[in-house]
Amino acid sequence: MLVNAARGPVSIPMHWSKRCKAGTIHAAWDVTDPEPLPAGHPLWSAPNVLITPHIAGSSPGMMDRVMMRLIGDQLPSLSCG
């Protein structure tokens, strides 16, 4: 299984299209190259492919896990002069 939630060029969908259509690999892309994939792109009709609209980072717990912890970790090191 291939999951790409990074930048599109990290895993180029055109390189994987034939393998996905053949069923030899399952894949999920949150970011594609090009983005958005053009209409008629082979991956749109591949049965074992999930394409999300560049929102995979969003989840109900994201703010707590990422933002609040990041800010909390940085607060002790801030100097108020």
Side-chain angles (χ1 to χ4, degrees), residues 19-68:
R19 295 178 79 187
C20 290
K21 290 284 258 187
T24 58
I25 189 168
H26 289 70
W29 276 279
D30 184 51
V31 182
T32 60
D33 186 29
E35 186 174 86
L37 283 179
H41 191 284
L43 289 177
W44 287 122
S45 60
N48 51 348
V49 171
L50 173 67
I51 300 173
T52 60
H54 203 154
I55 58 165
S58 299
S59 71
M62 181 184 77
M63 289 301 290
D64 180 50
R65 289 192 309 268
V66 178
M67 302 305 279
M68 298 305 180

Side-chain angles (χ1 to χ4, degrees), residues 2-14:
L2 167 71
V3 176
N4 182 28
R7 297 292 175 239
V10 171
S11 70
I12 301 169
M14 284 306 291

